[in-house]
Amino acid sequence: MIPSDKSAIVWENGMIGSHGLAGEWGLPVQARGMVVFSQCGGSRRQGSRDRHVAKLFNDYGLGTVLFDLLTHEEALQQVAQSNISMLSERLQDALLWLKGRYEAKSLPLGLFSSGYGTAAAMVAAALMPSEVRAIVSRSGRPDMADGYLADVRAPTLLIVGAKDPYVLAVNRACAQTMACLTDLKIIPRATHLFEEFGTLDAVTVLAINWFLRYFSEPGDVPVEELLLRR
């Protein structure tokens, strides 16, 4: 697949949803779908890495909504970071806000999550099955979604680093209990944050392929999958 024209990507900064959380919105012309990043309490460095991923999504025809589910003050509180009910409510609010925008209301929606944001994504997907088309989690904690995992219907890709043993064990267990189409991908040499050379790019390629596959409608021209460089 050839990347889209970067000059045809519209970027906006603003407030996401009724909670007024600051975020960034990227929309390619003729977008194939929208991906909402579900994350909480990321560092400035992690934020720059997420922007890098979002821009690559945009290059391949995926719109993005990049924002933090917590305010700066809340991100400093462990109790807020693990408040899955609050995080999921804010994510659902963001999805409703997105569907209310004329540019995105007809586009399929996906969730790209990490950490406790994955639990929030699972709860949101279980409660809004008609809105969420696909989920990709990287180093996520789906186990924190409690009893909602069995109700998730969106095809879900779980990505974990080979050198992140606890999170890998958690994701393996969750993959076996989920009723939806689920796949687990393990990135060689990668630790929790995918900081090793090439590992974040490997995550990005897997995510782009997953979203493009499950955003497709019957009769669409098949999308050539990206080659994963090793």
Side-chain angles (χ1 to χ4, degrees):
M1 180 182 175
I2 300 174
S4 60
D5 181 1
K6 295 181 182 180
S7 66
I9 298 172
V10 177
W11 276 91
E12 293 182 17
N13 294 318
M15 298 300 175
I16 307 298
S18 63
H19 293 281
L21 299 171
E24 301 173 8
W25 155 287
L27 183 64
V29 173
Q30 297 181 334
R32 293 177 176 268
M34 294 294 301
V35 178
V36 178
F37 283 53
S38 176
Q39 55 194 2
C40 51
S43 66
R44 180 175 298 180
R45 181 165 182 268
Q46 183 61 34
S48 66
R49 285 157 53 85
D50 285 334
R51 290 186 186 91
H52 170 73
V53 173
K55 290 179 179 178
L56 289 175
F57 280 16
N58 295 157
D59 290 347
Y60 285 91
L62 296 172
T64 51
V65 176
L66 182 60
F67 77 114
D68 202 305
L69 294 170
L70 297 174
T71 65
H72 176 72
E73 292 74 20
E74 290 171 339
L76 302 176
Q77 307 168 19
Q78 180 62 35
V79 65
Q81 292 187 35
S82 58
N83 188 338
I84 306 304
S85 177
M86 180 186 72
L87 297 175
S88 177
E89 190 275 330
R90 291 182 178 182
L91 180 57
Q92 293 172 66
D93 177 69
L95 294 176
L96 292 173
W97 169 86
L98 185 58
K99 295 302 288 187
R101 292 191 59 129
Y102 75 92
E103 309 99 317
K105 62 182 179 181
S106 63
L107 294 174
L109 299 182
L111 301 175
F112 184 64
S113 63
S114 61
Y116 291 134
T118 288
M122 297 298 176
V123 175
L127 295 176
M128 303 177 68
S130 63
E131 302 295 347
V132 179
R133 184 76 67 87
I135 303 169
V136 176
S137 162
R138 74 186 195 280
S139 296
R141 293 294 306 273
D143 56 306
M144 297 294 290
D146 295 327
Y148 288 93
L149 278 183
D151 295 325
V152 175
R153 294 293 175 261
T156 299
L157 175 62
L158 306 173
I159 307 175
V160 187
K163 295 185 177 181
D164 191 7
Y166 178 75
V167 174
L168 179 55
V170 163
N171 278 260
R172 275 185 170 141
C174 289
Q176 294 175 356
T177 62
M178 296 180 70
C180 62
L181 188 154
T182 308
D183 195 6
L184 172 66
K185 294 294 186 184
I186 303 171
I187 306 298
R189 302 180 291 104
T191 52
H192 186 70
L193 295 178
F194 300 100
E195 295 181 303
E196 297 73 23
F197 178 77
T199 57
L200 184 61
D201 286 339
V203 170
T204 304
V205 170
L206 290 170
I208 291 172
N209 286 336
W210 192 264
F211 287 125
L212 290 178
R213 182 183 307 145
Y214 292 106
F215 283 174
S216 298
E217 300 288 352
D220 283 354
V221 177
V223 177
E224 179 184 356
E225 292 199 347
L226 301 172
L227 294 177
L228 180 57
R229 296 181 180 179
R230 296 187 180 275

